[in-house]
C-alpha cells in the first residue's frame, strides 16, 4: 500500500502530463508526443490510485482492469478512423453512467454512516469510502449531497445524450432534429422538476429523489440531442466531451480524489472552450446550439437554378495537368471512403510536376474536431500545406482548380447568400470563387445534414461522381 504522499506526488505529475498532452494536441507536429504524455499520465494516475491508501478488493479490481484493458485494445484495433467520432461519443456515455453509479453509491454509504452513528457503531464496520464520510462534519455532508446531485444530473444527461449522439453519428438514428410536442418546454420542465427534487433531497428526502432526478436527466439528455441537427454534430461531440469532464470532476469531489477533480476540470473546461470556438467558427450562438436551436429550416429556402453537370476522370485529370495551383478541400466523405492515402499520393504526383498544392480545412470538417487533420497526418501529408479556413479563404479566387472531397455544408454558398438557410451566416470555404471546382461525391443527395448545396449547380462546378477513393485512384495514372 502506497502512502498518501506518493499518491499526491503522482497526482501532480499526472496532472502536468495531462496539461502537456492537451497543449501538444493543438499542433500536428507535436500531437504524437502529446498522445504519449496522456498515455503515461493516465498509467501513473491509475497505478497510484489503485494502490493508494484505503483501496482494497483487489480480487475484484484487478480482473475488471484486465477485462477493460483487453476490451479497449480490441476496440482500438477494430475501429476505423471513420468510426472515431461515434466511438468518442460512446466513451463519453461510459463516463456519464459511471458518475451516476458513483453518486448513487456515495449516497447509500452516507446513509449507512448516519445510521451507524445513530447506533454508535464502530468505524471498523465502515467501507473505505464510508470511513471517509464518517470523518465529515454535518456541513461537509451537505456539500457531499450537493456533489451527489450534480454527479447524478450531469452524468445522466451525458449518458443518454452521448448514446443519441453515437446513434446519429453512426447513422442508426435520423440526423434531422426531432423533438416531442412541447419542445424546449419539456426540457425546461424536467430541469425545474429536477431542481425541486434536489431541494427535497438536500432537506432529508429519501433515495427515491436521486432515482427520479436520474430519470429526468436521462430524458433531458435524450431529448436535447435529438433536437440538434446533423450540421451541428461536431459541436455536440465537443460539448458532450465537456459534460463528461464535469461529471468526472463531480465524482472526484465525491470521492475526495484530487486527481479526478483536476482531470475532470481539464476535460470539462477544454471541451467547453472548444465548443465555443467551433460555434464561433460556424457563426452559431453557443446557447442555441446546446438547446437544439439549430439544424432545421429558418424559412423557405432560395430556389436553386441550373443543373448538376457530371465529369469523368479524364476531364478532371486534364484540368489538373493544365493547372498551376490546386486546393483540396476534404470532408467526411473522404473519411468514409478511406481515401486519404490516395489523396496523399495524388498530392505527391502533382507537387512532383511542379504544381502548388494545398489543403483547405474548415474548423468543423468531418464529424469530430480535427478529424481531417488527423486523417491527413496519418496519410503523411506535409503539415505545411494543410491550412485552416482563415489562412486560405482569400486564395480561392486566384486558384486554378479546387477538388472538394465529400464535403457539403462547409463549402455551401447558401451560408452567405440565403438568409433562410439553416446554416445562414456560417463562415464557409469560398471554393466557388476558383476557376474550376470538381466535387467528388457518391450521388446527388443532400448529405448528412440534409441541406441542398447551390455549389453543385454553378457553371464552374463539375460533379465527379463515385466512391472517393476509387475516383482519386482513377486520376493517378492520368497525371503527367
Amino acid at each position: 500500500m502506497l502512502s498518501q504522499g506518493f499518491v499526491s506526488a503522482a497526482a501532480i505529475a499526472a496532472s502536468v502530463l495531462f496539461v502537456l498532452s492537451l497543449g501538444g494536441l493543438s499542433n500536428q507536429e507535436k500531437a504524437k508526443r502529446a498522445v504519449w504524455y496522456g498515455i503515461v499520465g493516465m498509467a501513473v494516475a491509475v497505478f497510484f490510485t489503485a494502490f493508494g491508501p484505503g483501496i482494497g478488493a483487489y480480487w475484484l479490481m484487478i480482473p475488471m482492469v484486465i477485462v477493460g484493458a483487453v476490451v479497449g485494445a480490441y476496440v482500438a484495433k477494430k475501429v476505423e478512423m471513420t468510426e472515431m467520432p461515434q466511438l468518442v461519443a460512446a466513451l463519453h456515455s461510459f463516463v456519464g453512467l459511471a458518475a451516476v453509479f458513483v453518486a448513487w453509491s456515495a449516497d447509500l454509504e452516507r446513509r449507512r454512516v448516519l445510521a451507524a452513528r445513530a447506533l454508535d457503531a464502530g468505524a471498523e464496520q465502515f467501507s473505505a469510502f464510508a470511513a471517509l464520510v464518517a470523518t465529515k462534519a454535518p456541513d461537509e455532508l451537505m456539500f457531499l449531497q450537493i456533489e451527489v446531485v450534480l454527479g447524478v444530473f450531469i452524468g445522466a444527461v451525458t449518458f443518454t445524450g452521448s448514446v443519441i449522439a453515437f446513434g446519429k453519428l453512426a447513422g442508426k438514428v435520423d440526423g434531422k432534429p426531432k423533438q416531442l410536442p412541447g419542445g424546449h418546454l419539456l426540457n425546461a420542465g424536467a430541469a425545474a422538476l429536477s431542481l425541486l427534487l434536489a431541494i427535497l433531497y438536500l432537506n432529508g428526502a429519501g433515495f427515491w429523489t436521486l432515482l427520479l432526478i436520474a430519470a429526468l436527466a436521462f430524458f433531458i439528455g435524450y431529448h436535447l440531442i435529438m433536437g440538434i441537427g446533423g450540421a451541428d454534430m461536431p459541436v455536440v461531440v465537443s460539448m458532450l466531451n465537456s459534460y463528461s469532464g464535469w461529471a468526472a470532476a463531480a465524482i472526484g469531489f465525491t470521492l475526495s480524489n484530487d486527481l479526478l477533480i483536476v482531470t475532470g476540470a481539464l476535460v470539462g473546461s477544454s471541451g467547453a472552450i472548444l465548443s465555443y470556438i467551433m460555434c464561433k467558427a460556424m457563426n452559431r450562438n453557443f446557447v442555441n446550439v446546446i438547446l437544439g436551436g439549430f439544424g432545421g429550416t429558418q424559412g423557405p429556402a432560395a430556389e436553386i437554378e441550373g443543373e448538376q453537370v457530371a465529369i469523368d476522370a479524364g476531364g478532371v485529370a486534364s484540368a489538373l495537368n493544365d493547372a498551376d495551383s490546386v486546393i483540396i478541400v476534404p470532408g467526411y466523405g473522404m473519411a468514409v471512403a478511406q481515401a486519404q492515402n490516395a489523396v496523399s499520393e495524388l498530392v505527391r504526383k502533382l507537387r512532383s510536376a511542379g504544381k502548388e498544392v494545398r489543403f483547405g480545412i474548415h474548423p468543423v470538417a468531418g464529424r469530430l474536431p480535427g478529424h481531417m487533420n488527423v486523417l491527413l497526418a496519418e496519410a503523411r501529408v506535409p503539415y505545411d500545406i494543410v491550412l485552416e479556413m482563415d489562412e486560405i479563404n482569400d486564395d480561392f479566387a486566384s486558384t486554378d482548380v479546387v477538388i472538394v472531397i465529400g464535403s457539403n455544408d462547409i463549402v455551401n454558398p447558401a451560408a452567405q447568400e440565403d438568409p433562410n438557410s439553416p446554416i445562414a451566416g456560417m463562415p464557409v470555404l469560398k471554393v466557388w470563387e476558383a476557376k474550376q471546382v470538381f466535387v467528388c461525391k457518391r450521388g446527388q443527395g443532400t448529405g448528412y445534414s440534409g441541406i441542398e448545396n447551390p455549389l453543385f449547380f454553378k457553371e464552374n462546378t463539375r460533379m465527379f461522381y463515385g466512391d472517393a477513393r476509387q475516383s482519386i485512384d482513377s486520376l493517378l495514372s492520368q497525371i503527367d
Side-chain angles (χ1 to χ4, degrees):
M1 191 74 66
L2 299 172
S3 68
Q4 185 59 47
F6 274 116
V7 174
S8 298
I12 294 173
S15 299
V16 171
L17 287 169
F18 291 147
V19 171
L20 291 174
S21 180
L22 283 174
L25 289 173
S26 62
N27 184 294
Q28 284 181 300
E29 296 182 19
K30 299 178 181 178
K32 185 175 290 187
R33 187 192 314 160
V35 170
W36 277 107
Y37 285 148
I39 291 172
V40 173
M42 185 56 67
V44 170
V46 171
F47 177 82
F48 281 90
T49 299
F51 293 97
I55 305 299
Y58 292 107
W59 59 271
L60 179 61
M61 181 191 303
I62 292 176
M64 295 302 293
V65 169
I66 293 173
V67 170
V70 170
V71 172
Y74 172 77
V75 170
K77 289 183 178 180
K78 183 180 179 181
V79 171
E80 299 289 344
M81 182 56 66
T82 55
E83 300 172 324
M84 193 58 66
Q86 48 262 48
L87 174 63
V88 170
L91 293 176
H92 290 163
S93 72
F94 296 158
V95 178
L97 194 59
V100 173
F101 286 150
V102 169
W104 281 346
S105 298
D107 185 69
L108 292 174
E109 292 294 85
R110 180 188 68 86
R111 294 176 186 278
R112 185 177 173 217
V113 167
L114 294 177
R117 281 179 176 175
L119 297 174
D120 260 348
E124 66 277 0
Q125 296 184 22
F126 294 158
S127 66
F129 177 72
L132 174 65
V133 174
T135 64
K136 295 181 180 292
D139 57 336
E140 292 177 313
L141 286 178
M142 175 62 74
F143 279 109
L144 175 62
Q145 287 182 276
I146 295 174
E147 294 157 11
V148 166
V149 170
L150 291 176
V152 169
F153 186 81
I154 299 174
V157 170
T158 302
F159 173 68
T160 49
S162 297
V163 169
I164 297 302
F166 167 83
K168 288 196 172 191
L169 291 167
K172 300 180 184 299
V173 176
D174 191 349
K176 295 181 181 179
K178 292 183 178 180
Q179 289 185 327
L180 296 173
H184 298 313
L185 290 178
L186 287 176
N187 295 336
L193 186 54
S194 297
L195 179 60
L196 176 61
L197 289 168
I199 293 172
L200 292 175
Y201 166 71
L202 294 175
N203 283 277
F207 185 75
W208 59 271
T209 53
L210 294 180
L211 295 176
L212 289 180
I213 289 173
L216 290 168
F218 283 145
F219 168 77
I220 292 173
Y222 158 80
H223 198 231
L224 196 65
I225 306 304
M226 282 297 295
I228 298 177
D232 290 324
M233 286 313 293
V235 181
V236 171
V237 173
S238 61
M239 178 187 71
L240 290 170
N241 180 58
S242 178
Y243 287 178
S244 69
W246 298 125
I251 296 174
F253 279 109
T254 302
L255 300 177
S256 295
N257 187 309
D258 294 338
L259 181 57
L260 200 51
I261 294 171
V262 171
T263 304
L266 282 173
V267 174
S269 56
S270 61
I273 293 170
L274 179 58
S275 298
Y276 173 77
I277 291 173
M278 294 177 70
C279 283
K280 187 176 180 181
M282 297 169 67
N283 196 32
R284 292 284 206 256
N285 181 290
F286 179 69
V287 175
N288 282 345
V289 171
I290 66 175
L291 292 179
F294 284 90
T297 57
Q298 308 299 308
E303 192 171 324
I304 299 176
E305 298 180 355
E307 60 178 349
Q308 297 185 22
V309 180
I311 193 170
D312 60 14
V316 178
S318 176
L320 288 172
N321 286 327
D322 293 339
D324 293 320
S325 57
V326 178
I327 296 178
I328 300 174
V329 178
Y332 188 67
M334 185 183 77
V336 171
Q338 299 183 40
Q340 62 269 24
N341 290 310
V343 171
S344 179
E345 178 61 18
L346 176 64
V347 170
R348 188 192 66 77
K349 295 196 72 172
L350 291 172
R351 297 185 79 195
S352 297
K355 304 177 189 302
E356 180 188 31
V357 183
R358 294 175 295 168
F359 284 83
I361 307 296
H362 194 280
V364 295
R367 296 188 188 174
L368 192 70
H371 199 180
M372 296 300 104
N373 302 72
V374 172
L375 284 176
L376 296 176
E378 179 188 45
R380 300 185 182 279
V381 171
Y383 300 133
D384 60 332
I385 67 171
V386 180
L387 305 178
E388 299 298 325
M389 178 178 65
D390 293 339
E391 299 175 297
I392 203 169
N393 229 4
D394 292 335
D395 296 345
F396 284 108
S398 58
T399 299
D400 295 323
V401 171
V402 170
I403 300 180
V404 178
I405 307 177
S407 292
N408 187 25
D409 299 340
I410 64 172
V411 294
N412 193 334
Q416 297 185 358
E417 300 170 357
D418 182 7
N420 290 327
S421 171
I423 58 172
M426 171 180 165
V428 291
L429 291 159
K430 296 182 284 188
V431 300
W432 59 89
E433 294 183 351
K435 295 176 183 177
Q436 297 181 84
V437 181
F438 301 106
V439 180
C440 291
K441 200 169 181 289
R442 283 184 177 273
Q444 296 186 358
T446 55
Y448 180 71
S449 65
I451 301 173
E452 192 64 80
N453 192 339
L455 169 70
F456 305 157
F457 300 84
K458 289 187 176 291
E459 292 184 2
N460 63 335
T461 299
R462 293 295 181 266
M463 306 302 294
F464 189 21
Y465 292 121
D467 176 83
R469 183 169 63 179
Q470 295 176 4
S471 296
I472 300 300
D473 281 339
S474 67
L475 296 176
L476 295 176
S477 61
Q478 303 182 56
I479 300 299
D480 296 337

